[in-house]
């Protein structure tokens, strides 16, 4: 079983990778592994320089051209990948990634235009990956494509995989003499059954499993990750990404190709079962029940607790609203929004959680199906329903009660010193959205016309954003929202914007502790600079972490001559037991109250959001006036995990240092060098070292601080 703290799955998307292969790997893995794992892309530069190993469960090298992989990752990159697998990580190499993970690559030997021969550094499979297994391959073509038949080795899966299935194939290799490497930890998971066009040696291994130290690698010739479960009726609609039936235009020069697609469609359930079995064999956890189908986007609902506010907001947006066929649109940098008045829509239309029609223009065709599929979210028109005179009814947004939220907001604001009534008073809510941060931060024309304190909230995100390039599907049970700040440049000397993330982290902890009587007992801390951790109630042995992450913060800013336009995104796990723990888990582990009337008040997203935006407003008001030093500095140290922690600074060549605090000018982590070359810590401190949050990553449990890119 893998370490429970390894919650990331990374798909390489750098030089050499095929965009289509990356897309299909992301789609399949998100369907099978969300919400327990966050599936996102990673570049070659990030593999070399970022501290990804300790939190990563699985690294994927997709289809493409492995010479591109070599040019970027040979040397330092491959050493990190090998170390990752040796230390318990898992690696999957699909097609080109299979060639790349073998000791030697032989591709189209004798063809002067395509021949590739050479040793490979990873060498998870200790022999040769030779291809193409079948003739006909051409770059950027389906000429060599086929629905290859694969016989599965039942012994490799203990009966948890299909006996056979068909998989998309185009240019992949086979693993020469694979059965001969059994003593090296190699297992054949699936074999080609059709006549091959190259010498395979002993066996016809198409997919192999290789034990590597404490970890393992799975290498494939075909593409078992390819998604091909869409009706043929949708084939004509899209021509963007190849290799999915809905995306394929039958080509006159390849008359057999539609038959390949149809065969693969009919075998898709078996292919999917095989992928599940492979992931389980690699140690990943797949939750029981239905697959995590990516839901379609829902309508967005715009309302306010302040009379006339929506009318004023629409007036401010008027100069960027365009009229097309009588409909009002905002066409911004990343998204197009269709404005709809609530009074013009019937209750059945409003009550419809998901839009039946996703209108995206691709090659002149309008997509009108609601099939689970790979989506270009930026091309989908987002519908915003405006409520000038009332709030959305519970039948319209059953996962979020606007009545409860706005009533709690008014109550909490009335009892909170320094709270600004504008914060949280205008709310954009969606049951399913791309990302609340993206909706605001990536659409700058709209962003600069919205008021400070404008809040966007969602029940689910299908393209949630984290630090760097991380993107994931956020499950139900999380509170996800973003708040807009227009921070004046004129106050930067006393209130630097870098501290906004620290203020937000404090607001989260204080809001939870003040949610109701008894909540102050919850053991919640912050990890520098802005991650929220909770005491692990499931800790059963010394190797289990004492604290686990339950939330995080992301801030993105745009600068104008007088203002920083900053979007602060917050995500908290309220009630979902995967992948770690939730606030509800913490509550359930508190000692029972002898008097039932003293039991904790139920935790709801509406009331917690109201308290969070109000506390954040009050903290921000005080911060703008007095800065971080003093009140907030003391509060930060009260809640953080790091006082006097001894760490290793990889940025300083492995130097040992003791954390002393954060600087009050730019929020840098302050550490003091520990003197003593014999490994014995001395009381006498050495030089002072300051580290920026944006330039370094803190692996708290290993006491490591690494350089970020």
């Amino acid at each position: 079983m893998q370490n429970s703290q390894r919650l990331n799955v990374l798909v390489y998307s750098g030089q050499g990778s095929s965009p289509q292969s990356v897309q299909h790997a992301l789609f399949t893995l998100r369907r099978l592994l969300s919400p327990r794992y966050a599936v996102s892309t990673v570049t070659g530069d990030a593999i070399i320089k970022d501290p990804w190993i300790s939190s990563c469960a699985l690294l994927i090298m997709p289809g493409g051209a492995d010479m591109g992989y070599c040019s970027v990752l040979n040397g330092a990159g491959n050493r990190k990948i090998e170390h990752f697998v040796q230390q318990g990580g898992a690696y999957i190499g699909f097609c080109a990634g299979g060639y790349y993970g073998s000791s030697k690559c032989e591709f189209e030997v004798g063809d002067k235009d395509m021949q590739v021969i050479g040793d490979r550094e990873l060498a998870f499979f200790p022999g040769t990956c030779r291809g193409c297994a079948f003739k006909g391959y051409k770059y950027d073509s389906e000429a060599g494509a086929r629905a290859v038949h694969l016989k599965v080795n039942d012994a490799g899966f203990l009966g948890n995989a299909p006996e056979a299935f068909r998989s998309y194939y185009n240019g992949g290799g086979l693993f020469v003499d694979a059965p001969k490497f059994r003593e090296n930890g190699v297992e054949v998971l699936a074999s080609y059954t059709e006549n091959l066009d190259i010498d395979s040696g002993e066996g016809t291994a198409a997919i192999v499993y290789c034990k590597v130290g404490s970890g393992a690698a799975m290498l494939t010739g075909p593409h078992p990750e390819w998604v091909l479960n869409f009706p043929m009726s949708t084939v004509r609609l899209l021509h963007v990404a190849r290799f999915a039936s809905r995306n394929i235009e039958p080509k006159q020069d390849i008359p057999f190709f539609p038959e390949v697609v149809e065969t693969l469609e009919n075998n898709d359930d078996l292919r999917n079962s095989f992928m599940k079995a492979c992931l389980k064999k690699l140690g990943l956890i797949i939750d029981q029940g239905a697959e995590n189908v990516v839901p379609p986007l829902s309508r967005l609902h715009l309302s306010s607790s302040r009379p006339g506010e929506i009318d004023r907001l629409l007036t401010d947006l008027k100069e960027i609203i365009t009229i097309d066929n009588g409909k009002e649109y905002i066409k911004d940098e990343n998204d197009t929004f269709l404005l709809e008045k609530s009074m013009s829509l019937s209750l059945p239309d409003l009550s419809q959680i998901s839009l039946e029609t996703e209108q995206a223009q691709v090659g002149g065709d309008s997509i009108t199906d609601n099939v689970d599929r790979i989506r270009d979210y930026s091309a989908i028109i987002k519908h915003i329903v405006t409520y000038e005179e009332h709030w959305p009814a519970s039948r319209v947004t059953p996962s979020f009660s606007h009545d409860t939220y706005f009533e709690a907001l008014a109550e909490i604001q009335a009892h909170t010193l320094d709270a600004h009534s504008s914060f949280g008073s205008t709310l954009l809510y969606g049951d399913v959205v791309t990302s609340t941060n993206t909706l605001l931060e990536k659409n700058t024309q709209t962003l600069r016309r919205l008021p400070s304190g404008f809040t966007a909230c969602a029940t689910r995100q299908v393209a949630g954003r984290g630090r760097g390039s991380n993107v994931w599907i956020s499950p139900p049970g999380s509170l996800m929202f973003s708040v807009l700040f227009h921070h004046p440049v004129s106050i930067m000397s006393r209130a630097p914007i870098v501290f906004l993330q620290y203020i937000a982290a404090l607001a989260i902890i204080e809001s939870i502790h003040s949610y109701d009587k008894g909540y102050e007992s919850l053991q919640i801390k912050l990890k520098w600079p802005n991650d929220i951790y909770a005491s692990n109630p499931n800790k059963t042995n010394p190797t289990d972490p004492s604290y686990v992450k339950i939330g995080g913060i992301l801030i993105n800013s745009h600068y104008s001559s007088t203002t920083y336009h900053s979007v602060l995104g917050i995500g908290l796990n309220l009630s979902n037991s995967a992948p770690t723990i939730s606030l509800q888990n913490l509550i359930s582990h508190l000692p029972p109250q002898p008097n039932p009337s003293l039991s904790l008040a139920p935790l709801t997203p509406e009331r917690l959001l109201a308290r969070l935006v109000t506390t954040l407003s009050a903290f921000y008001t005080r911060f703008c006036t007095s800065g971080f030093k003093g009140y907030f500095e003391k509060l930060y140290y009260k809640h953080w995990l790091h006082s006097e922690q001894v760490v290793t600074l990889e940025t300083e060549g492995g130097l040992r240092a003791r954390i002393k605090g954060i600087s009050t000018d730019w929020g840098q982590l302050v550490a003091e060098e520990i003197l003593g070359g014999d490994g014995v810590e001395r009381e006498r401190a050495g030089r002072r070292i300051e580290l920026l949050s944006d330039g370094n990553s803190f692996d708290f449990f290993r006491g490591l601080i690494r350089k970020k890119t």
Side-chain angles (χ1 to χ4, degrees):
M1 186 67 67
Q2 286 194 347
N3 187 317
S4 62
Q5 292 303 301
R6 293 190 170 196
L7 303 176
N8 293 329
V9 172
L10 303 177
V11 179
Y12 175 77
S13 61
Q15 185 172 333
S17 65
S18 156
Q20 294 85 5
S21 295
V22 171
Q23 197 174 41
H24 282 269
L26 287 171
F27 187 80
T28 290
L29 293 166
R30 284 172 177 166
R31 286 190 67 181
L32 297 179
L33 297 175
S34 295
R36 187 172 292 274
Y37 299 92
V39 183
S40 58
T41 57
V42 63
T43 64
D45 200 42
I47 285 177
I48 295 170
K49 297 179 181 178
D50 281 8
W52 55 274
I53 290 178
S54 62
S55 61
C56 181
L58 172 64
L59 175 67
I60 307 288
M61 295 300 290
D66 98 312
M67 289 294 288
Y69 303 166
C70 293
S71 66
V72 173
L73 297 173
N74 274 0
N78 285 336
R79 285 194 296 272
K80 285 190 71 173
I81 294 173
E82 182 180 9
H83 176 73
F84 160 69
V85 179
Q86 288 278 357
Q87 296 302 309
Y91 170 103
I92 296 180
F94 293 121
C95 197
Y99 287 111
Y100 188 65
S102 300
S103 180
K104 186 175 183 179
C105 169
E106 293 183 0
F107 180 79
E108 292 294 270
V109 176
D111 186 322
K112 64 179 182 179
D113 295 322
M114 292 198 293
Q115 175 177 292
V116 177
I117 303 175
D119 295 334
R120 296 293 180 262
E121 292 181 348
L122 292 178
F124 295 141
F125 175 66
T128 298
C129 182
R130 180 177 293 157
C132 298
F134 303 97
K135 291 179 179 178
Y137 176 77
K138 295 180 180 179
Y139 284 111
D140 298 320
S141 168
E142 306 297 346
R146 63 171 59 207
V148 67
H149 185 265
L150 301 173
K151 179 175 173 35
V152 177
N153 177 14
D154 292 338
F157 296 102
L158 301 176
N160 294 320
E163 294 182 1
F165 70 102
R166 287 188 179 272
S167 173
Y168 175 81
Y169 169 92
N170 194 11
L174 53 80
F175 301 92
V176 179
D177 288 326
K180 293 182 178 179
F181 295 102
R182 289 189 190 92
E183 293 184 359
N184 299 82
V186 174
E187 299 177 41
V188 177
L189 299 184
S191 300
Y192 296 110
T193 63
E194 301 161 63
N195 292 330
L196 302 171
D197 293 321
I198 55 174
D199 181 12
S200 65
E202 182 179 332
T204 57
I207 301 174
V208 294
Y209 170 91
C210 310
K211 184 64 178 170
V212 183
S214 299
M218 187 184 87
L219 312 179
T220 81
H223 283 280
E225 82 284 14
W226 246 236
V227 184
L228 289 151
N229 60 341
F230 306 104
M232 281 297 289
S233 60
T234 65
V235 168
R236 62 183 177 82
L237 294 178
L238 280 171
H239 317 309
V240 178
R242 298 183 298 134
F243 314 132
S245 62
R246 69 174 185 91
N247 298 342
I248 296 169
E249 178 185 11
K251 302 178 176 66
Q252 292 183 355
D253 59 334
I254 310 176
F256 64 85
F257 194 52
E259 295 179 14
V260 171
V261 174
E262 186 172 7
T263 300
L264 292 170
E265 283 187 288
N266 294 335
N267 275 261
D268 202 64
D269 287 344
L270 295 175
R271 175 205 64 81
N272 209 42
S273 295
F274 179 79
M275 276 301 303
K276 287 182 180 179
C278 289
L279 293 170
K280 289 180 181 178
K281 186 173 180 66
L282 288 170
L284 282 87
I285 300 172
I286 298 180
D287 294 325
Q288 297 297 318
E291 294 170 10
N292 296 288
V293 175
V294 181
L297 301 181
S298 66
R299 279 188 167 88
L300 302 167
H301 302 271
L302 180 62
S303 58
S304 179
S305 62
R306 306 168 79 181
E309 180 63 22
I310 299 303
D311 285 332
R312 287 191 290 271
L313 179 58
L314 292 174
T315 299
D316 292 340
L317 294 171
K318 188 173 181 179
E319 62 182 328
I320 60 172
I321 294 176
T322 59
I323 309 295
D324 188 355
N325 291 326
K327 296 181 178 180
E328 294 184 324
Y329 293 90
I330 296 176
K331 298 179 180 179
D332 217 319
E333 293 177 24
N334 191 74
D335 295 294
T336 296
F337 302 98
L338 169 63
L339 302 179
E340 304 175 300
K341 292 186 180 297
S342 61
M343 302 302 292
S344 67
L345 296 172
S346 65
L347 184 59
D349 288 336
L350 285 173
S351 301
Q352 188 176 291
I353 300 300
S354 300
L355 296 174
E356 290 183 0
T357 302
E358 293 180 357
Q359 297 175 340
Q361 298 299 319
V362 183
D365 291 312
S366 176
I367 301 172
T368 57
D369 65 284
N370 194 26
V371 180
D372 179 30
R373 54 182 170 76
I374 299 171
R375 296 172 171 88
D376 178 4
Y377 287 113
S378 63
I380 297 173
I381 296 173
K382 283 73 178 178
H383 296 228
I384 298 179
V385 182
T386 60
Y387 296 79
E388 289 87 348
E389 299 179 0
H390 59 92
W391 302 327
S394 58
R395 287 175 294 178
V396 175
T397 60
S399 298
F400 187 90
S401 170
H402 286 73
D403 286 354
T404 300
Y405 168 71
F406 283 124
E407 289 168 3
L409 184 69
E411 175 192 344
I412 296 167
Q413 285 180 341
H415 294 88
T416 304
L417 184 67
D418 292 332
H420 198 291
S421 62
S422 67
F423 270 66
S425 64
T426 304
L427 181 70
L428 181 68
Y429 168 79
D431 185 71
V432 182
V433 307
T434 50
S435 158
T436 56
N437 256 45
T438 296
L439 289 173
L440 297 182
E441 187 259 331
K442 293 294 185 182
N443 296 294
T444 57
Q445 291 188 72
T446 304
L447 172 75
R448 299 186 182 206
R449 291 169 172 83
L450 297 175
S452 275
F454 183 94
T455 302
C457 179
T459 296
R460 295 193 69 177
Q461 294 185 146
V462 294
R465 293 168 60 192
R467 296 183 73 186
S469 59
N470 289 343
V471 179
W472 64 85
I473 299 171
S474 302
S478 299
L479 175 60
M480 296 157 289
F481 68 99
S482 299
V483 181
L484 173 61
F485 294 80
H486 297 301
H487 192 72
V489 172
S490 60
I491 65 171
M492 280 287 288
S493 59
R494 70 170 177 271
I497 198 169
V498 67
F499 284 107
L500 192 55
Q501 59 186 326
Y502 300 150
I503 300 300
L506 293 174
I508 291 171
I509 295 177
E510 291 293 309
S511 295
I512 294 171
H513 283 166
S514 63
Y515 181 83
D516 213 311
K517 187 175 181 179
Y519 277 81
E520 67 277 3
S521 300
L522 296 178
Q523 296 297 307
I524 300 172
K525 297 289 185 180
L526 60 87
K527 180 178 82 70
W528 180 82
N530 53 24
D531 285 332
I532 309 301
Y533 275 65
S535 177
N536 184 4
N538 302 319
K539 182 179 174 66
T540 57
N541 61 68
T543 62
D544 291 336
S546 299
Y547 285 86
V548 290
K549 184 175 178 178
I550 61 168
I553 298 165
L554 173 68
I555 184 168
N556 300 105
S557 298
H558 294 274
Y559 171 74
S560 66
S561 58
T562 61
T563 308
Y564 282 97
H565 307 281
S566 301
V567 177
L568 181 78
I570 292 175
L572 276 174
N573 186 1
L574 300 191
S575 60
N576 198 300
S577 59
T580 54
I581 63 167
S582 66
L583 281 173
Q584 199 61 55
N585 292 144
L586 295 179
I587 294 169
S588 66
H589 282 81
L590 288 176
Q593 295 288 342
N595 185 346
S597 65
L598 299 178
S599 298
L600 268 66
L603 183 69
T604 69
E606 296 90 349
R607 289 192 62 83
L608 183 57
L609 176 61
R611 185 163 291 280
L612 273 164
V613 293
T614 303
T615 305
L616 186 58
S617 166
F619 279 13
Y620 180 66
T621 299
R622 184 167 186 165
F623 169 65
C624 289
T625 302
S626 306
F628 186 81
K629 189 174 182 179
Y631 175 77
F632 291 117
E633 183 182 15
K634 292 177 182 177
L635 193 60
Y636 194 84
Y637 292 148
K638 173 184 174 182
H639 292 308
W640 84 332
L641 288 164
H642 309 301
S643 294
E644 298 298 312
Q645 182 180 358
V646 175
V647 297
T648 299
L649 305 180
E650 290 192 354
T651 55
E652 301 288 333
L655 179 146
R656 299 272 287 170
R658 189 184 302 278
I659 293 177
K660 306 303 292 185
I662 57 174
S663 66
T664 55
D665 50 1
W666 294 108
Q668 295 168 297
L669 187 69
V670 177
E672 288 183 348
E673 178 184 6
I674 296 173
L675 298 179
D678 56 2
V680 178
E681 295 177 16
R682 308 298 188 195
E683 292 298 323
R684 187 166 60 90
R687 62 190 175 99
R688 174 186 169 107
I689 302 163
E690 296 188 358
L691 303 160
L692 286 169
S693 62
D694 285 342
N696 298 277
S697 179
F698 196 163
D699 186 342
F700 168 68
F701 298 105
R702 296 179 64 196
L704 290 174
I705 297 178
R706 297 183 172 102
K707 185 71 176 176
K708 288 193 66 191
T709 55

